[in-house]
Amino acid sequence: MIPKVFKEVIDLGDGREISIETGKLAKQAHGSVVVQSGKCMLLCTVVSNYKQSDVDFLPLTVDYREKFAAAGRYPGGFFKREARPSDGEVLTMRLVDRVLRPLFPKDYHSETQVMIQLMSHDENVMPDAMAGLAASAAIQLSDFPFECAISEARVGRVNGEFIINPTRAQLEESDIDMMIGASADSVMMVEGEMDEISEEEMTEAIKFAHEAIKEQCAAQLRLAEAFGKKEVREYEPEREDEELAKKVHDLSYDKVYAVAKAGSAKHERTAAFDAIKEEVIATFTEEEQEEYGSLISKYFYKAEKAAVRDLTLNEGLRLDGRKTDEIRPIWCEVDYLPSTHGSAIFTRGETQALATVTLGTSRDSNQIDMPSHEGEERFYLHYNFPPFSTGEARPIRGTSRREVGHGNLAQRALKGMVPDDCPYTVRVVSEVLESNGSSSMATVCSGTMALMDAGVQLKKPVSGIAMGLITDTESGKYAVLSDILGDEDHLGDMDFKVTGTADGITACQMDIKVKGLSYEILVNALKQAKDGRLHILKKLTDTIAAPNPDVKPHSPKMVTRVIPNEFIGALIGPGGKVIQELQKETGTTIVINEDPVTEEGIVEILGTDQNGIDAVLAKIDSLMFKPEVGSVYEVKVIKMLDFGAVVEYLDAPGNEVLLHVSELAWERTENVSDVVNMGDVFDVKYMGTDPRTRKEKVSRKALLPKPEGFVERPPRNDKDRGRGRDDRRGGGRDRKPRRD
C-alpha cells in the first residue's frame, strides 16, 4: 500500500523553496521527516526511550552525517565506508544540539537520539543550514515533551543585501556568514564569521534571519496539525519537596552570598561553597540524607545560583570581586618557545593559552573531503583542552566535539586577517594550560600574537572576549558581564563570545538562555563587549605592536616562482629524479602546482637556508633559459667528442649545446683537443637552429678574426653530392630496370 504523504512548502522569497515531508520513510521512528531544497534532501529521525535513565541530565545525542553516495562519490581512503564524523559534521551537530537541548524539560532524562542524514546533495544548497529545521520538524511529529518549534537559518550579505541560506558561491562574495537558531519568539543561538562589521549590522542580520525562521516554525506546526498532533507522552518527573527546598535555601543563601561577595579565587571559593554544602547536609539526619541526598544537592545549587545572581544585580559585584565591566589582569609573552616558527602566551586571570605557529607549503594544507564540500584550508587552527587545565584527572579519548567547536570559532576569528598573498600554509595550535572562563577567546588572543611573532603579516590584530548576562524579568534589571568566569557561564542567561579588530567584528558565538531577549539589551551587550575587546587588544599590541618583518632565522623561507607549463616536466624529471635530487642537494622542499586557469606551473620553494633556495631558483632559471640569436654567451667544456665539444652555458647550468668541430676555428681542425680541452671557458655566439640538422648551433670561430687570405670552401651542392654517390655506386653505367 502506498503510504499517505504529508507535505509543507516554505517559500524563501527568491524562487527557492524548502519542503518538509513525512509519512513515506522511517515510520518506526518516533518522528521522521525529509527536508528538501533543490536536489538536496535530508532525512531526520528522532527516537526517545520511554523509560527514564538513571542520570540527572538529558542524555541527548545529535548526530549529523553526510553520505558520500548522496553526491555520487566514494569515501576517500583505503576503507570504502563512512567512519568517524568529519569536523564539518561535528560542527553541524553542535549547532543543532545547542538549540534543541534547552527546550526539553529539566527533569526529562530519557535517552534521546536525533539523527540527520544527507541523502541527496545539491551543489547549490548548503545542507547544514536545514539541519535544525529537520530536527525540530521531526520532534514536532513525535510525542516528546518539547517546548516549541525552532529552526536555524544561515544569513549572508552580498552587495549590501541580506540573503537567507545563500549558496556556497554567494557565500564566497558575502561579508557575513552567520547561523541563527531561534523559535518564533526568541533568538537562542548565533554563530558565524564576519568581515569587520559593526554591532548594529550584526543585530540587523540576526533580525533578518529571525523573520525567516518564524515562517519555518509555522510550517512545522501546519505539518504536525495535518499529520495529527500526538499527545505528549507522560514520564516520571523528578521528585520535588517545596518544604525541603525552602529549608536548604534558608540554611545556605546568606552564607553563599557572603562567600560570593568576598571576591576570592576559584579554588578558595569552590572550597568555601563545598564547606557550606557540607554544613547544610550535616543538619539532616542520616536517614534524611539517605532519602533526600540528591534533592539537597539540587536545592543547594539553586540557592547558590540565586545568591550569585542577586549579588550581581543588587550590588554590581561578581564572584571574584570585579565590577560588571571589569577585565581580569592580563599578561602576555611572545617568542617563548625557541624552536617553533612562532609562539605566544596569553594569560587572563585564571585562563591561559599557549599558541604555536607552523609554516609550510601547500602540501601541508588541511584537506576537506565531505560529500557537500571538497577543498583545502591554507590557514587552520587546532585547539586542545587537556584535563589538567581545570585541575582534573580524566581519560583522554580523542578530540572532543567541544575542542572542534572552540577551535573552529578561533579559526574563523583569525582567518580573515591572514593576507591573501601569504605564501605559506599556516597552522596554529592552542594548548589551553589553565581554564576559568573562555579559553577559546584566550586562543584568539594568543593566536594573534603567535602569528605576528612568526612574521605572518596580519592585516590587523584580533582580540576576543566572552560576555555574560544576568536578567530579572520581574524587576526588569539586567547586568552585562565582561570577561566571564566559568561559574558565571553556568549561572547566567547568555554566554556570548565576540572577536574582532579595532574596526569591527570578525566572529561570534552566542547561546541565549533567556526567552524574549530584547534587541536593545543585545546591542548594549555587544557595545560593552567592544569596549572589552579594545582593552584586551591594547594589551596584545603593547606586547607585540606589529608583525615581525621577517620569519625567524630557523623558520622556513618561502619563495614562489611561476613557470610556463612546458617546463614543469623538465623540473620534475623522469620519475621525479630531477626534483628529488634538487631537494636533497639544496635541503629545500619543492612543491609544484598547476594553475587551473592559466595552466602555468606554480613552484613553491621552502627552506631555511637562503643559499639552497637560491640554488633552486638558479636551476629553474637554467631550465627556462632561452638563448637569443646573435648573442654571446660564456660557456664551459664539459665533454669531448670526436666531432666537437659539449659546452654548458655558465649563466644557465644544466643547459648544454654541441660546439661542432667546424665551428671551433677558421682553420681546419683535425682533432678537437688541438683547440679546446675539458674545463676550458670561453665565449661563443648563438647562431640559432641549423635548418639542416634542426639542432641548436653555437660558434667559437664567429668571435675570432678571420685569417688573412682565408678562403672558405664553397658549400657542396646537394645535387652534386647525389650525383657523386651515383657515380661511385654504379661507375656511370646505365642501370637496367629491375624486374619483378
Side-chain angles (χ1 to χ4, degrees), residues 722-740:
R723 185 178 301 116
R725 285 195 299 271
D726 290 343
D727 291 344
R728 286 194 301 273
R729 190 177 299 135
R733 296 192 300 265
D734 292 335
R735 302 184 67 184
K736 295 181 179 180
R738 186 175 180 179
R739 294 183 179 179
D740 294 334

Side-chain angles (χ1 to χ4, degrees), residues 8 10 20 99 103 132-133 136-137 140 146 148-153 180-186 188 209-225:
E8 281 292 331
I10 302 164
I20 317 173
V99 184
L103 296 178
L133 168 62
S136 177
Q140 294 307 304
F146 192 75
C148 60
I150 62 95
S151 190
E152 294 179 348
I180 288 86
S183 65
D185 300 323
S186 302
M188 307 169 68
H210 194 193
E211 291 303 314
I213 287 172
K214 290 177 182 178
E215 293 295 324
Q216 296 178 16
C217 291
Q220 295 175 52
L221 298 180
R222 293 195 302 269
L223 181 68
E225 189 67 29

Side-chain angles (χ1 to χ4, degrees), residues 240 242-261 273 276-277 280-281 284 294-312 314 319 491:
E240 297 289 348
E242 293 185 7
E243 184 178 338
L244 179 63
K246 184 179 186 305
K247 181 178 179 180
V248 172
H249 182 275
D250 293 343
L251 287 170
S252 58
Y253 179 87
D254 290 338
K255 294 178 181 179
V256 170
Y257 195 99
V259 171
K261 190 174 180 179
F273 284 156
I276 295 171
K277 183 178 179 180
V280 172
I281 293 174
F284 295 90
S294 60
L295 281 180
I296 294 172
S297 297
K298 173 183 173 181
Y299 294 143
F300 178 81
Y301 173 75
K302 285 187 174 181
E304 179 185 348
K305 179 177 180 180
V308 173
R309 289 169 63 91
D310 289 347
L311 173 68
T312 302
N314 297 336
L319 286 170
L491 300 172

Side-chain angles (χ1 to χ4, degrees), residues 167 321 422 440 455 652 711 718:
T167 65
C422 177
S440 63
V711 179
D718 287 343

Side-chain angles (χ1 to χ4, degrees), residues 548-616:
N548 290 330
D550 297 303
V551 298
K552 298 179 186 297
H554 62 272
S555 297
K557 289 78 177 172
M558 171 78 86
V559 175
T560 302
R561 175 66 63 85
V562 178
I563 64 174
N565 181 278
E566 61 194 89
F567 295 107
I568 295 177
L571 180 56
I572 295 174
K577 181 179 179 181
V578 173
I579 194 170
Q580 289 172 8
E581 289 183 353
L582 190 58
Q583 290 181 112
K584 185 177 180 180
E585 292 170 2
T586 61
T588 61
T589 299
I590 306 171
V591 178
I592 305 175
N593 298 309
E594 187 173 306
D595 189 295
V597 179
T598 65
E599 295 186 351
E600 292 178 308
I602 302 173
V603 184
E604 299 175 1
I605 309 161
L606 190 82
T608 56
D609 183 5
Q610 188 62 46
N611 292 329
I613 295 174
D614 292 341
V616 177

Side-chain angles (χ1 to χ4, degrees), residues 675-686:
V675 181
V676 297
N677 289 290
M678 282 288 293
D680 285 357
V681 176
F682 48 85
D683 290 341
V684 295
K685 185 175 183 179
Y686 183 69

